[in-house]
Amino acid sequence: MRAEIIGVGTEILLGQIANSNAQWISEKLADIGVDVLHHQVVGDNVDRIADAFRLALSRSDAVIVTGGLGPTQDDVTRDGIAAALGVKLERRSEIEDFLRERFAGLGREMPAINLVQADVPEGARYILPERGTAPGLVCETADGRVLYAVAGVPAEMREMMENTILPDLVRRGGGAAIVSRVLRVTGVPESGVAELLDDLFAANTNPTVAYLASAGEVKVRLTAKAPTRGEAEDLIAPLAEEVAERLAPHVFSTGDEELEQVVGRELRARSKTVACAESLTGGGLASRLTRAPGASDYFLGSAVTYTADAKRDVLGVSKETIDGPGVVSEECAREMAAGARELFGAEVAVALTGVAGPDEHGGQPPGQVWLALDADDAREARGFRAPGDREQVRRWAEQAALDLLRRYLQGTLTS
Amino acid sequence: MRAEIIGVGTEILLGQIANSNAQWISEKLADIGVDVLHHQVVGDNVDRIADAFRLALSRSDAVIVTGGLGPTQDDVTRDGIAAALGVKLERRSEIEDFLRERFAGLGREMPAINLVQADVPEGARYILPERGTAPGLVCETADGRVLYAVAGVPAEMREMMENTILPDLVRRGGGAAIVSRVLRVTGVPESGVAELLDDLFAANTNPTVAYLASAGEVKVRLTAKAPTRGEAEDLIAPLAEEVAERLAPHVFSTGDEELEQVVGRELRARSKTVACAESLTGGGLASRLTRAPGASDYFLGSAVTYTADAKRDVLGVSKETIDGPGVVSEECAREMAAGARELFGAEVAVALTGVAGPDEHGGQPPGQVWLALDADDAREARGFRAPGDREQVRRWAEQAALDLLRRYLQGTLTS
């Protein structure tokens, strides 16, 4: 099956926003084995939109359109579809009812301009949205091709893609099903992950494995293909189990949950409070721990101590450590963690010190990171050399500190 | 002039990378008044690439192609151009010499596969790169249209766009030149900026003004068109001066410099040290102040105090304030700033407290922010209600705190 993605919106052509929807959809289609051969972007002009749709339907089996389904005069995707298919728009009373209810739920009357969102090309089906007010459209052509149209707002687009369009494409793909499992790993490099798993995939092309590395994280993606979803699940299940077992202590998520969300959830589940002490990350660790709503349930504070004096005065790092191994050392990280725990009265504290770069500092090279964790029942430290530029070193350091905390909370510190 | 941008690369169609080049080029073309009516993306397939070029040359005056100019088998943009234009590729010895020299400069011999980068469609011109090894191509058609091809690596693409292609497009546009000036403003809302400037543009369509608002910042862009660059400069200069004067205390940058970079530069220039105290931003303010290399010249530390206890114990916020106006109050912000200044021994300190949301806190609504600055020669506080979600409120609060610091350093606190 060949697919094509069309973004509608003058703001993309003006460079005001990126066409990030096309990337997201492309990735999802690759996951289910649908080949994307073209992207197009057109502005809010009904003739050019209709031309783009005609071209796409002449060369692709499935066309996915994002944007132009709002209620304003600029939103002409509906008209473009009608023109390309040579049909009229008809107003659907059941969508009208839905829109009135949606507005009533917000305590507002529906503005008259929203009525156009109840217009559907003759013969097309529609998808009612859980978010927003723009119904999606599913338009089939006489020769068996299909054009889907969804809102350009990413959250609204994703909802319809995940709930309706991706399953529909799998069904249309002649029954071939593709199942993926993602394991998000931290605390072990890409080469280490590959070493742990490579024998499983050496003679295996289905399921396949792919690794995607970023600062402090490796995404492991398993993908199985089979005639039916059930068979694909059966193919992937034993292998996924084996992979999960081998990587167990290093896997922090099997979905969209970020490392700081996992840590927050574990802290809340265990009714523990946390504090930090940071140097090279300059507040980045605390910023990530407080990104989620409700972080005040477990996060008490962080001492961002950028100077040796601040480490001594605020956290009580000893003169011996500062003058001896120095501020970028295991000893300093340990004393910072203990100091932060005491300062904020937290049950567990993590501390970070290091050299973000680009220059060396106190005889230590850029990328050198020391971190430590301090709790009643655990005292741990780790050192490593992070690759990349200043921003990447900071990201690596944050990931490592969050992971130390995760392993402590999940009881896998020594794995 | 109508332009079209074509990204070549299967990795874009797989969703592995975003087509960020299209956004960057679109913005630059908008700046010089060139209308972009289409984007296309095609994979590394010579037939589909040639089809895309033919389509683009049938409807656009200028076509800009990114990607597919590398030395590997996947890189078939050169072949696609030759096929679309119905010409042959010819190897240019002067590009060969350039490539050999480029490799020699790196102390390496040129691999044989790089020779294809010396191939140019008959009748086309080439652009030698300052970075990388991929020459750009400029191909004119018999009917006066033009196709430019540049490397997909963003830095290489930008170099050729800025040095060669954008000036060439301005020249082709009948000699019309477009000059823009950007002023980045903070501390005053978009409507406030418009009020200060609207009379200047009420009866004026050249230069024009455009406002682009984001959390805690308004970008003001002035654009003048004239037959020559000199005339456009003459048109824009007096108006830009008037605008700069009216907005003076609010303008933090007229280029790419971010607010935290401006603050860092001012701190360094004045040999002042700074400390922070943060609540709702959770370390984000310190993280921004330490993003730039060399931040340790002026940044001492930040106390991220997320709880009332931490504000009292670490920063010395009084029991009267916590029990009275509460932790989200002007009084608390002032005491936090004074406390941070003393804790870190800084010459100036800024403090932030507020409610990031989504829920209210201590009787204060989401978005409520208080900030304060404390120095020997200034004690200031500000309160405001930031719009948006949790992430946006945090961004607004950081911007406001950085701006308070900027105004103190630049002596415009009371403007």
Side-chain angles (χ1 to χ4, degrees), chain A residues 2 12-18 23 26-27 30 36-43 48 55 59 280-284 286-288 290-296 299-307 310 313-314 343-344 357-358 390-391 394, chain B residues 2 12-18 23 26-27 30 36-43 48 55 59 280-284 286-288 290-296 299-307 310 313-314 343-344 357-358 390-391 394:
Chain A
R2 294 172 161 217
I12 306 174
L13 297 177
L14 288 170
Q16 289 168 352
I17 63 167
Q23 184 183 13
S26 294
E27 204 179 348
V36 176
L37 297 188
H38 296 90
H39 292 177
Q40 295 188 63
V41 177
V42 275
R48 284 194 287 275
L55 173 65
R59 64 187 179 187
L280 81 159
T281 48
S287 176
R288 284 183 63 187
T290 56
R291 194 174 289 163
S296 53
F299 180 80
L300 303 183
S302 181
V304 182
T305 52
Y306 222 59
T307 62
D313 299 346
V314 178
L343 182 68
F344 292 101
R390 183 176 175 88
E391 205 48 45
R394 282 161 53 117
Chain B
R2 295 173 159 214
I12 305 173
L13 296 176
L14 287 168
Q16 290 168 351
I17 62 167
Q23 184 183 12
S26 293
E27 206 179 346
V36 176
L37 297 188
H38 296 91
H39 292 177
Q40 295 188 64
V41 177
V42 276
R48 285 194 286 277
L55 173 65
R59 63 188 179 188
L280 81 159
T281 46
S287 177
R288 285 183 62 187
T290 56
R291 195 174 287 162
S296 52
F299 180 79
L300 304 182
S302 181
V304 182
T305 53
Y306 223 56
T307 62
D313 299 346
V314 178
L343 182 67
F344 292 101
R390 184 175 173 87
E391 207 45 48
R394 283 160 54 115

Side-chain angles (χ1 to χ4, degrees), chain B residues 38-103:
Chain B
H38 296 91
H39 292 177
Q40 295 188 64
V41 177
V42 276
D44 303 317
N45 173 291
V46 70
D47 294 330
R48 285 194 286 277
I49 290 173
D51 282 344
F53 293 173
R54 280 187 207 105
L55 173 65
L57 286 169
S58 75
R59 63 188 179 188
S60 302
D61 305 305
V63 179
I64 298 169
V65 179
T66 61
L69 291 180
T72 74
Q73 281 195 328
D74 286 352
D75 294 301
V76 291
T77 291
R78 283 173 293 264
D79 307 272
I81 296 173
L85 299 180
V87 299
K88 287 190 181 158
L89 291 173
E90 49 186 26
R91 187 149 298 176
R92 297 285 185 90
S93 61
E94 61 276 26
I95 304 182
E96 264 192 73
D97 295 344
F98 162 81
L99 289 170
R100 282 187 215 285
E101 266 171 48
R102 170 69 38 112
F103 277 92

Side-chain angles (χ1 to χ4, degrees), chain A residues 142-205:
Chain A
D143 58 350
R145 301 174 189 236
V146 61
L147 181 148
Y148 305 93
V150 295
V153 179
E156 299 179 29
M157 178 278 292
R158 291 178 191 199
E159 170 201 311
M160 289 195 189
M161 285 299 301
E162 284 175 340
N163 296 347
T164 309
I165 298 173
L166 292 170
D168 196 44
L169 285 170
V170 168
R171 193 181 55 72
R172 285 171 188 273
I178 290 177
V179 170
S180 284
R181 297 281 173 80
V182 171
L183 295 93
R184 297 175 67 178
V185 169
T186 186
V188 52
E190 185 177 2
S191 57
V193 176
E195 233 173 89
L196 285 168
L197 301 183
D198 269 359
D199 65 292
L200 293 176
F201 297 93
N204 212 337
T205 56

Side-chain angles (χ1 to χ4, degrees), chain B residues 16-275:
Chain B
Q16 290 168 351
I17 62 167
N19 185 14
S20 57
N21 285 339
Q23 184 183 12
W24 189 89
I25 296 172
S26 293
E27 206 179 346
K28 293 293 168 187
L29 292 181
D31 281 353
I32 61 165
V34 171
D35 287 332
V36 176
L37 297 188
H38 296 91
H39 292 177
Q40 295 188 64
V41 177
V42 276
D44 303 317
N45 173 291
V46 70
D47 294 330
R48 285 194 286 277
I49 290 173
D51 282 344
F53 293 173
R54 280 187 207 105
L55 173 65
L57 286 169
S58 75
R59 63 188 179 188
S60 302
D61 305 305
V63 179
I64 298 169
V65 179
T66 61
L69 291 180
T72 74
Q73 281 195 328
D74 286 352
D75 294 301
V76 291
T77 291
R78 283 173 293 264
D79 307 272
I81 296 173
L85 299 180
V87 299
K88 287 190 181 158
L89 291 173
E90 49 186 26
R91 187 149 298 176
R92 297 285 185 90
S93 61
E94 61 276 26
I95 304 182
E96 264 192 73
D97 295 344
F98 162 81
L99 289 170
R100 282 187 215 285
E101 266 171 48
R102 170 69 38 112
F103 277 92
L106 300 167
R108 293 165 49 198
E109 192 143 333
M110 182 180 75
I113 58 161
N114 282 77
L115 267 181
V116 296
Q117 295 187 302
D119 290 348
V120 171
E122 278 175 355
R125 286 180 294 131
Y126 57 85
I127 311 166
L128 291 182
E130 285 169 21
R131 294 159 227 248
T133 60
L137 299 170
V138 184
C139 313
E140 303 195 50
T141 65
D143 58 351
R145 301 176 190 234
V146 61
L147 181 149
Y148 305 93
V150 295
V153 178
E156 299 179 28
M157 177 278 291
R158 290 177 191 200
E159 169 200 310
M160 289 194 190
M161 285 298 302
E162 285 175 338
N163 296 347
T164 309
I165 298 173
L166 292 170
D168 196 45
L169 285 169
V170 168
R171 192 180 54 74
R172 282 170 190 275
I178 290 177
V179 171
S180 284
R181 298 280 172 82
V182 172
L183 296 93
R184 298 175 67 177
V185 169
T186 186
V188 53
E190 185 178 359
S191 58
V193 176
E195 233 173 272
L196 284 169
L197 301 185
D198 269 0
D199 65 291
L200 293 176
F201 297 94
N204 211 337
T205 57
N206 187 22
T208 57
V209 66
Y211 306 116
L212 185 66
S214 55
E217 174 175 347
V218 182
K219 248 184 209 166
V220 180
R221 181 191 297 276
L222 309 179
T223 307
K225 292 190 193 195
T228 67
R229 189 168 181 89
E231 286 169 89
E233 296 272 10
D234 288 346
L235 260 178
I236 211 168
L239 200 65
E241 200 174 311
E242 174 71 24
V243 168
E245 202 164 294
R246 290 193 188 184
L247 299 178
H250 313 301
V251 175
F252 69 86
S253 169
T254 55
D256 290 332
E257 207 178 26
E258 298 296 333
L259 188 49
E260 61 266 29
Q261 292 174 297
V262 175
V263 168
R265 184 168 47 69
E266 296 283 0
L267 284 163
R268 184 177 279 121
R270 285 162 177 72
S271 302
K272 287 215 190 265
T273 56
V274 69

